[in-house]
Amino acid sequence: STGRFWCFCRLVYMPMSYLYGKKFVGPITPTIMAIREELYSVSYNEIDWNKARDTCAKEDLRYPRSLLQNVIWTCLNKFVEPVLNCWPINKLRDTALKNLMKHIHYEDESTKYIGVCPINK
């Protein structure tokens, strides 16, 4: 339950979970194009996202993932996620997203839309 998370962690986790669950894609604007050009060393359209999913800068990698972890993450990505997008399981996702949005609105209303810090929005 997100209610047991530290407040800052929860306030980041909830909206990011909602966007992921909705598979949100925003409009591609000139600003987005400029950010992509600044962030990536190769053209954004040429990135192999299946390969990039498992890459990490050596400075950021504290412990290499085990073979078991790689198998689990690959199975989740290739098999479990597509199944979760199919009917009737996607109805569960819709219910969870509605519940999550209620939590987000509750957080806003209980803080009179001030929030704990700028992270909220």
Side-chain angles (χ1 to χ4, degrees):
S1 167
T2 59
R4 293 177 170 233
F5 284 8
W6 183 44
C7 64
F8 295 109
C9 186
R10 182 180 66 247
L11 296 174
V12 171
Y13 177 80
M14 288 193 312
M16 294 302 292
S17 297
Y18 185 82
L19 291 174
Y20 179 82
K22 281 290 202 182
K23 303 295 185 201
F24 177 80
V25 177
I28 306 301
T29 63
T31 303
I32 296 297
M33 298 298 285
I35 290 171
R36 285 179 176 178
E37 190 175 317
E38 183 178 335
L39 288 177
Y40 301 105
S41 59
V42 297
S43 172
Y44 183 84
N45 295 328
E46 295 175 9
I47 297 173
D48 179 359
W49 290 105
N50 288 324
K51 186 177 179 184
R53 179 176 287 111
D54 295 324
T55 58
C56 181
K58 65 179 180 176
E59 298 84 8
D60 294 333
L61 187 61
R62 291 187 158 199
Y63 302 103
R65 289 194 329 205
S66 69
L67 176 62
L68 179 61
Q69 282 178 306
N70 286 333
V71 168
I72 290 171
W73 293 131
T74 300
C75 287
L76 286 172
N77 184 51
K78 293 197 182 285
F79 304 112
V80 176
E81 181 67 22
V83 169
L84 293 177
N85 289 320
C86 296
W87 186 90
I89 299 172
N90 64 357
K91 296 301 176 195
L92 179 62
R93 176 176 275 186
D94 290 342
T95 302
L97 288 172
K98 286 176 187 170
N99 187 36
L100 182 55
M101 188 52 73
K102 284 180 9 186
H103 283 283
I104 291 170
H105 286 304
Y106 175 80
E107 186 79 37
D108 287 339
E109 292 163 8
S110 66
T111 62
K112 297 187 172 140
Y113 297 87
I114 294 172
V116 177
C117 66
I119 283 178
N120 294 38
K121 305 300 177 226

Tab-separated table of all heavy atoms in Angstrom, residues 53-97:
chain	number	residue	atom	x	y	z
A	53	ARG	N	16.744	-0.810	-22.257
A	53	ARG	CA	16.067	-1.095	-20.989
A	53	ARG	C	17.031	-1.707	-19.967
A	53	ARG	O	16.892	-1.503	-18.768
A	53	ARG	CB	14.894	-2.051	-21.249
A	53	ARG	CG	14.130	-2.449	-20.027
A	53	ARG	CD	12.930	-3.307	-20.355
A	53	ARG	NE	11.898	-2.482	-20.969
A	53	ARG	CZ	11.519	-2.562	-22.252
A	53	ARG	NH1	12.065	-3.435	-23.036
A	53	ARG	NH2	10.599	-1.770	-22.717
A	54	ASP	N	18.011	-2.456	-20.437
A	54	ASP	CA	18.922	-3.158	-19.531
A	54	ASP	C	20.273	-2.471	-19.376
A	54	ASP	O	21.181	-3.045	-18.787
A	54	ASP	CB	19.144	-4.590	-20.033
A	54	ASP	CG	17.858	-5.407	-19.969
A	54	ASP	OD1	17.082	-5.204	-19.026
A	54	ASP	OD2	17.647	-6.228	-20.876
A	55	THR	N	20.431	-1.270	-19.892
A	55	THR	CA	21.719	-0.596	-19.776
A	55	THR	C	21.712	0.349	-18.584
A	55	THR	O	20.688	0.920	-18.222
A	55	THR	CB	22.065	0.190	-21.058
A	55	THR	OG1	21.034	1.135	-21.302
A	55	THR	CG2	22.210	-0.728	-22.245
A	56	CYS	N	22.859	0.471	-17.991
A	56	CYS	CA	23.017	1.345	-16.836
A	56	CYS	C	24.460	1.835	-16.819
A	56	CYS	O	25.384	1.068	-17.098
A	56	CYS	CB	22.701	0.573	-15.557
A	56	CYS	SG	22.835	1.554	-14.048
A	57	ALA	N	24.661	3.093	-16.507
A	57	ALA	CA	26.019	3.625	-16.404
A	57	ALA	C	26.769	2.869	-15.315
A	57	ALA	O	26.208	2.581	-14.255
A	57	ALA	CB	25.984	5.114	-16.089
A	58	LYS	N	28.012	2.544	-15.584
A	58	LYS	CA	28.779	1.758	-14.600
A	58	LYS	C	28.885	2.481	-13.262
A	58	LYS	O	28.963	1.854	-12.220
A	58	LYS	CB	30.155	1.393	-15.155
A	58	LYS	CG	31.057	2.566	-15.397
A	58	LYS	CD	32.414	2.139	-15.926
A	58	LYS	CE	33.263	3.373	-16.154
A	58	LYS	NZ	34.584	3.072	-16.572
A	59	GLU	N	28.849	3.816	-13.280
A	59	GLU	CA	28.919	4.577	-12.029
A	59	GLU	C	27.643	4.416	-11.198
A	59	GLU	O	27.676	4.558	-9.981
A	59	GLU	CB	29.134	6.074	-12.313
A	59	GLU	CG	30.426	6.406	-13.031
A	59	GLU	CD	30.333	6.253	-14.554
A	59	GLU	OE1	29.227	6.026	-15.083
A	59	GLU	OE2	31.381	6.341	-15.201
A	60	ASP	N	26.540	4.135	-11.855
A	60	ASP	CA	25.262	4.004	-11.159
A	60	ASP	C	24.941	2.572	-10.750
A	60	ASP	O	24.016	2.342	-9.976
A	60	ASP	CB	24.128	4.517	-12.046
A	60	ASP	CG	24.225	6.003	-12.291
A	60	ASP	OD1	24.800	6.705	-11.434
A	60	ASP	OD2	23.734	6.473	-13.334
A	61	LEU	N	25.682	1.633	-11.264
A	61	LEU	CA	25.401	0.221	-11.004
A	61	LEU	C	26.124	-0.224	-9.738
A	61	LEU	O	27.332	-0.424	-9.735
A	61	LEU	CB	25.841	-0.627	-12.203
A	61	LEU	CG	25.462	-2.089	-12.167
A	61	LEU	CD1	23.945	-2.251	-12.130
A	61	LEU	CD2	26.025	-2.797	-13.385
A	62	ARG	N	25.381	-0.376	-8.666
A	62	ARG	CA	25.996	-0.802	-7.407
A	62	ARG	C	26.244	-2.298	-7.397
A	62	ARG	O	27.283	-2.757	-6.962
A	62	ARG	CB	25.109	-0.420	-6.232
A	62	ARG	CG	25.068	1.064	-6.019
A	62	ARG	CD	24.337	1.361	-4.766
A	62	ARG	NE	24.756	2.679	-4.336
A	62	ARG	CZ	24.618	3.126	-3.130
A	62	ARG	NH1	24.075	2.363	-2.225
A	62	ARG	NH2	25.015	4.322	-2.807
A	63	TYR	N	25.236	-3.046	-7.836
A	63	TYR	CA	25.347	-4.502	-7.888
A	63	TYR	C	24.822	-4.959	-9.248
A	63	TYR	O	23.700	-4.613	-9.609
A	63	TYR	CB	24.513	-5.162	-6.780
A	63	TYR	CG	24.901	-4.721	-5.396
A	63	TYR	CD1	24.134	-3.797	-4.704
A	63	TYR	CD2	26.040	-5.227	-4.787
A	63	TYR	CE1	24.486	-3.377	-3.438
A	63	TYR	CE2	26.404	-4.818	-3.522
A	63	TYR	CZ	25.628	-3.894	-2.855
A	63	TYR	OH	25.988	-3.484	-1.600
A	64	PRO	N	25.611	-5.736	-9.969
A	64	PRO	CA	25.098	-6.237	-11.250
A	64	PRO	C	23.902	-7.159	-11.022
A	64	PRO	O	23.830	-7.857	-10.013
A	64	PRO	CB	26.268	-7.002	-11.855
A	64	PRO	CG	27.353	-7.012	-10.845
A	64	PRO	CD	26.952	-6.184	-9.675
A	65	ARG	N	22.960	-7.115	-11.970
A	65	ARG	CA	21.795	-7.989	-11.843
A	65	ARG	C	22.201	-9.423	-12.122
A	65	ARG	O	23.039	-9.696	-12.975
A	65	ARG	CB	20.706	-7.567	-12.831
A	65	ARG	CG	20.075	-6.269	-12.446
A	65	ARG	CD	18.796	-5.943	-13.149
A	65	ARG	NE	18.618	-6.434	-14.484
A	65	ARG	CZ	17.821	-5.886	-15.374
A	65	ARG	NH1	17.164	-4.794	-15.068
A	65	ARG	NH2	17.678	-6.403	-16.564
A	66	SER	N	21.570	-10.330	-11.397
A	66	SER	CA	21.845	-11.756	-11.581
A	66	SER	C	21.107	-12.264	-12.814
A	66	SER	O	20.194	-11.613	-13.337
A	66	SER	CB	21.406	-12.541	-10.350
A	66	SER	OG	19.997	-12.536	-10.257
A	67	LEU	N	21.455	-13.453	-13.249
A	67	LEU	CA	20.776	-14.083	-14.370
A	67	LEU	C	19.293	-14.257	-14.052
A	67	LEU	O	18.426	-14.008	-14.899
A	67	LEU	CB	21.417	-15.437	-14.694
A	67	LEU	CG	20.732	-16.246	-15.794
A	67	LEU	CD1	20.776	-15.493	-17.113
A	67	LEU	CD2	21.374	-17.609	-15.932
A	68	LEU	N	18.987	-14.652	-12.820
A	68	LEU	CA	17.599	-14.817	-12.406
A	68	LEU	C	16.826	-13.501	-12.522
A	68	LEU	O	15.702	-13.472	-13.029
A	68	LEU	CB	17.520	-15.358	-10.973
A	68	LEU	CG	16.120	-15.566	-10.413
A	68	LEU	CD1	15.339	-16.576	-11.256
A	68	LEU	CD2	16.190	-16.022	-8.968
A	69	GLN	N	17.425	-12.404	-12.072
A	69	GLN	CA	16.771	-11.103	-12.195
A	69	GLN	C	16.528	-10.753	-13.661
A	69	GLN	O	15.449	-10.266	-14.008
A	69	GLN	CB	17.617	-10.010	-11.558
A	69	GLN	CG	17.537	-9.976	-10.057
A	69	GLN	CD	18.443	-8.911	-9.491
A	69	GLN	OE1	19.634	-8.879	-9.790
A	69	GLN	NE2	17.884	-8.028	-8.690
A	70	ASN	N	17.512	-10.984	-14.506
A	70	ASN	CA	17.347	-10.690	-15.931
A	70	ASN	C	16.212	-11.506	-16.540
A	70	ASN	O	15.422	-10.985	-17.329
A	70	ASN	CB	18.649	-10.947	-16.695
A	70	ASN	CG	19.677	-9.884	-16.431
A	70	ASN	OD1	19.346	-8.742	-16.115
A	70	ASN	ND2	20.935	-10.245	-16.540
A	71	VAL	N	16.113	-12.775	-16.169
A	71	VAL	CA	15.039	-13.630	-16.678
A	71	VAL	C	13.684	-13.112	-16.194
A	71	VAL	O	12.729	-13.008	-16.976
A	71	VAL	CB	15.260	-15.099	-16.260
A	71	VAL	CG1	14.029	-15.943	-16.527
A	71	VAL	CG2	16.477	-15.673	-16.973
A	72	ILE	N	13.592	-12.770	-14.922
A	72	ILE	CA	12.328	-12.283	-14.361
A	72	ILE	C	11.904	-10.982	-15.025
A	72	ILE	O	10.756	-10.834	-15.456
A	72	ILE	CB	12.433	-12.114	-12.828
A	72	ILE	CG1	12.527	-13.479	-12.161
A	72	ILE	CG2	11.246	-11.323	-12.279
A	72	ILE	CD1	12.851	-13.436	-10.687
A	73	TRP	N	12.823	-10.012	-15.143
A	73	TRP	CA	12.470	-8.716	-15.744
A	73	TRP	C	12.076	-8.880	-17.215
A	73	TRP	O	11.149	-8.231	-17.692
A	73	TRP	CB	13.608	-7.711	-15.612
A	73	TRP	CG	13.891	-7.303	-14.191
A	73	TRP	CD1	15.107	-7.281	-13.584
A	73	TRP	CD2	12.968	-6.849	-13.205
A	73	TRP	NE1	14.987	-6.861	-12.283
A	73	TRP	CE2	13.684	-6.585	-12.029
A	73	TRP	CE3	11.599	-6.647	-13.197
A	73	TRP	CZ2	13.069	-6.129	-10.873
A	73	TRP	CZ3	10.992	-6.191	-12.036
A	73	TRP	CH2	11.725	-5.937	-10.904
A	74	THR	N	12.766	-9.765	-17.929
A	74	THR	CA	12.430	-10.009	-19.336
A	74	THR	C	11.046	-10.637	-19.456
A	74	THR	O	10.243	-10.232	-20.299
A	74	THR	CB	13.496	-10.904	-19.996
A	74	THR	OG1	14.760	-10.239	-19.922
A	74	THR	CG2	13.163	-11.178	-21.449
A	75	CYS	N	10.754	-11.614	-18.600
A	75	CYS	CA	9.428	-12.254	-18.625
A	75	CYS	C	8.327	-11.249	-18.298
A	75	CYS	O	7.275	-11.240	-18.945
A	75	CYS	CB	9.374	-13.418	-17.649
A	75	CYS	SG	10.305	-14.851	-18.201
A	76	LEU	N	8.567	-10.412	-17.307
A	76	LEU	CA	7.573	-9.397	-16.962
A	76	LEU	C	7.311	-8.474	-18.139
A	76	LEU	O	6.161	-8.148	-18.452
A	76	LEU	CB	8.038	-8.581	-15.749
A	76	LEU	CG	7.960	-9.270	-14.397
A	76	LEU	CD1	8.633	-8.414	-13.333
A	76	LEU	CD2	6.525	-9.553	-14.021
A	77	ASN	N	8.376	-8.057	-18.801
A	77	ASN	CA	8.246	-7.115	-19.904
A	77	ASN	C	7.618	-7.742	-21.142
A	77	ASN	O	6.762	-7.153	-21.787
A	77	ASN	CB	9.618	-6.527	-20.248
A	77	ASN	CG	9.521	-5.485	-21.320
A	77	ASN	OD1	8.724	-4.571	-21.226
A	77	ASN	ND2	10.304	-5.646	-22.363
A	78	LYS	N	8.031	-8.943	-21.483
A	78	LYS	CA	7.592	-9.557	-22.740
A	78	LYS	C	6.297	-10.348	-22.629
A	78	LYS	O	5.581	-10.488	-23.622
A	78	LYS	CB	8.690	-10.456	-23.289
A	78	LYS	CG	9.927	-9.701	-23.742
A	78	LYS	CD	10.787	-10.553	-24.622
A	78	LYS	CE	12.026	-9.839	-25.046
A	78	LYS	NZ	11.801	-8.840	-26.074
A	79	PHE	N	5.992	-10.879	-21.455
A	79	PHE	CA	4.826	-11.755	-21.331
A	79	PHE	C	3.748	-11.210	-20.395
A	79	PHE	O	2.569	-11.208	-20.735
A	79	PHE	CB	5.255	-13.154	-20.872
A	79	PHE	CG	6.284	-13.776	-21.773
A	79	PHE	CD1	7.580	-13.986	-21.326
A	79	PHE	CD2	5.963	-14.132	-23.071
A	79	PHE	CE1	8.531	-14.548	-22.157
A	79	PHE	CE2	6.913	-14.686	-23.910
A	79	PHE	CZ	8.201	-14.899	-23.457
A	80	VAL	N	4.143	-10.783	-19.202
A	80	VAL	CA	3.157	-10.365	-18.208
A	80	VAL	C	2.503	-9.040	-18.600
A	80	VAL	O	1.273	-8.916	-18.577
A	80	VAL	CB	3.780	-10.283	-16.800
A	80	VAL	CG1	2.786	-9.747	-15.796
A	80	VAL	CG2	4.303	-11.648	-16.381
A	81	GLU	N	3.297	-8.050	-18.974
A	81	GLU	CA	2.743	-6.740	-19.330
A	81	GLU	C	1.736	-6.825	-20.477
A	81	GLU	O	0.648	-6.239	-20.385
A	81	GLU	CB	3.877	-5.764	-19.668
A	81	GLU	CG	3.421	-4.374	-20.030
A	81	GLU	CD	2.773	-3.593	-18.894
A	81	GLU	OE1	3.017	-3.920	-17.719
A	81	GLU	OE2	2.009	-2.660	-19.192
A	82	PRO	N	2.020	-7.547	-21.575
A	82	PRO	CA	1.001	-7.660	-22.633
A	82	PRO	C	-0.290	-8.329	-22.151
A	82	PRO	O	-1.382	-7.932	-22.570
A	82	PRO	CB	1.688	-8.513	-23.708
A	82	PRO	CG	3.132	-8.291	-23.501
A	82	PRO	CD	3.301	-8.111	-22.019
A	83	VAL	N	-0.178	-9.321	-21.270
A	83	VAL	CA	-1.377	-9.990	-20.749
A	83	VAL	C	-2.199	-9.016	-19.905
A	83	VAL	O	-3.428	-9.016	-19.965
A	83	VAL	CB	-0.995	-11.240	-19.925
A	83	VAL	CG1	-2.185	-11.787	-19.162
A	83	VAL	CG2	-0.409	-12.303	-20.840
A	84	LEU	N	-1.515	-8.176	-19.141
A	84	LEU	CA	-2.224	-7.208	-18.291
A	84	LEU	C	-2.989	-6.171	-19.106
A	84	LEU	O	-3.879	-5.506	-18.577
A	84	LEU	CB	-1.241	-6.510	-17.348
A	84	LEU	CG	-0.595	-7.390	-16.280
A	84	LEU	CD1	0.407	-6.595	-15.471
A	84	LEU	CD2	-1.637	-8.022	-15.385
A	85	ASN	N	-2.634	-6.015	-20.363
A	85	ASN	CA	-3.331	-5.054	-21.229
A	85	ASN	C	-4.546	-5.652	-21.927
A	85	ASN	O	-5.240	-4.959	-22.654
A	85	ASN	CB	-2.370	-4.479	-22.271
A	85	ASN	CG	-1.368	-3.553	-21.639
A	85	ASN	OD1	-1.693	-2.779	-20.750
A	85	ASN	ND2	-0.129	-3.631	-22.088
A	86	CYS	N	-4.803	-6.938	-21.726
A	86	CYS	CA	-5.917	-7.618	-22.392
A	86	CYS	C	-7.142	-7.668	-21.477
A	86	CYS	O	-7.022	-7.706	-20.258
A	86	CYS	CB	-5.524	-9.047	-22.762
A	86	CYS	SG	-4.193	-9.126	-23.960
A	87	TRP	N	-8.318	-7.706	-22.105
A	87	TRP	CA	-9.555	-7.872	-21.362
A	87	TRP	C	-9.585	-9.267	-20.798
A	87	TRP	O	-9.150	-10.182	-21.473
A	87	TRP	CB	-10.752	-7.641	-22.292
A	87	TRP	CG	-12.042	-7.661	-21.564
A	87	TRP	CD1	-12.664	-6.597	-20.995
A	87	TRP	CD2	-12.857	-8.806	-21.318
A	87	TRP	NE1	-13.823	-7.012	-20.399
A	87	TRP	CE2	-13.965	-8.369	-20.584
A	87	TRP	CE3	-12.750	-10.153	-21.621
A	87	TRP	CZ2	-14.962	-9.224	-20.168
A	87	TRP	CZ3	-13.744	-11.008	-21.202
A	87	TRP	CH2	-14.845	-10.531	-20.480
A	88	PRO	N	-10.021	-9.552	-19.623
A	88	PRO	CA	-10.676	-8.712	-18.626
A	88	PRO	C	-9.702	-8.120	-17.614
A	88	PRO	O	-10.112	-7.361	-16.753
A	88	PRO	CB	-11.629	-9.679	-17.937
A	88	PRO	CG	-10.904	-10.981	-17.940
A	88	PRO	CD	-10.134	-10.983	-19.254
A	89	ILE	N	-8.435	-8.465	-17.731
A	89	ILE	CA	-7.466	-8.002	-16.732
A	89	ILE	C	-7.296	-6.489	-16.789
A	89	ILE	O	-7.067	-5.855	-15.760
A	89	ILE	CB	-6.122	-8.736	-16.905
A	89	ILE	CG1	-6.343	-10.229	-16.699
A	89	ILE	CG2	-5.081	-8.207	-15.950
A	89	ILE	CD1	-5.151	-11.085	-17.018
A	90	ASN	N	-7.446	-5.890	-17.984
A	90	ASN	CA	-7.283	-4.444	-18.062
A	90	ASN	C	-8.381	-3.710	-17.293
A	90	ASN	O	-8.221	-2.550	-16.929
A	90	ASN	CB	-7.195	-3.965	-19.508
A	90	ASN	CG	-8.449	-4.205	-20.311
A	90	ASN	OD1	-9.423	-4.788	-19.841
A	90	ASN	ND2	-8.425	-3.760	-21.547
A	91	LYS	N	-9.493	-4.371	-17.003
A	91	LYS	CA	-10.533	-3.765	-16.164
A	91	LYS	C	-10.036	-3.596	-14.733
A	91	LYS	O	-10.380	-2.637	-14.052
A	91	LYS	CB	-11.819	-4.605	-16.184
A	91	LYS	CG	-12.454	-4.683	-17.546
A	91	LYS	CD	-12.807	-3.307	-18.042
A	91	LYS	CE	-13.352	-3.346	-19.451
A	91	LYS	NZ	-13.378	-2.032	-20.069
A	92	LEU	N	-9.204	-4.531	-14.279
A	92	LEU	CA	-8.578	-4.411	-12.962
A	92	LEU	C	-7.660	-3.196	-12.932
A	92	LEU	O	-7.643	-2.440	-11.963
A	92	LEU	CB	-7.804	-5.689	-12.623
A	92	LEU	CG	-7.074	-5.714	-11.295
A	92	LEU	CD1	-8.057	-5.575	-10.140
A	92	LEU	CD2	-6.269	-6.990	-11.171
A	93	ARG	N	-6.906	-2.998	-14.021
A	93	ARG	CA	-6.027	-1.833	-14.115
A	93	ARG	C	-6.851	-0.551	-14.073
A	93	ARG	O	-6.486	0.406	-13.386
A	93	ARG	CB	-5.193	-1.882	-15.403
A	93	ARG	CG	-4.330	-0.645	-15.586
A	93	ARG	CD	-3.455	-0.758	-16.794
A	93	ARG	NE	-2.259	-1.469	-16.394
A	93	ARG	CZ	-1.205	-1.653	-17.163
A	93	ARG	NH1	-1.190	-1.210	-18.386
A	93	ARG	NH2	-0.151	-2.305	-16.719
A	94	ASP	N	-7.966	-0.512	-14.782
A	94	ASP	CA	-8.824	0.671	-14.772
A	94	ASP	C	-9.327	0.966	-13.362
A	94	ASP	O	-9.336	2.122	-12.928
A	94	ASP	CB	-10.011	0.487	-15.719
A	94	ASP	CG	-9.610	0.507	-17.180
A	94	ASP	OD1	-8.505	0.997	-17.501
A	94	ASP	OD2	-10.411	0.018	-18.002
A	95	THR	N	-9.729	-0.067	-12.647
A	95	THR	CA	-10.194	0.101	-11.268
A	95	THR	C	-9.070	0.625	-10.377
A	95	THR	O	-9.281	1.527	-9.562
A	95	THR	CB	-10.731	-1.238	-10.715
A	95	THR	OG1	-11.779	-1.690	-11.569
A	95	THR	CG2	-11.237	-1.093	-9.298
A	96	ALA	N	-7.884	0.067	-10.548
A	96	ALA	CA	-6.732	0.516	-9.758
A	96	ALA	C	-6.392	1.971	-10.067
A	96	ALA	O	-6.063	2.748	-9.155
A	96	ALA	CB	-5.533	-0.383	-10.031
A	97	LEU	N	-6.478	2.363	-11.328
A	97	LEU	CA	-6.177	3.751	-11.704
A	97	LEU	C	-7.211	4.715	-11.131
A	97	LEU	O	-6.857	5.821	-10.695
A	97	LEU	CB	-6.098	3.888	-13.225
A	97	LEU	CG	-4.870	3.253	-13.865
A	97	LEU	CD1	-4.981	3.273	-15.382
A	97	LEU	CD2	-3.599	3.956	-13.423
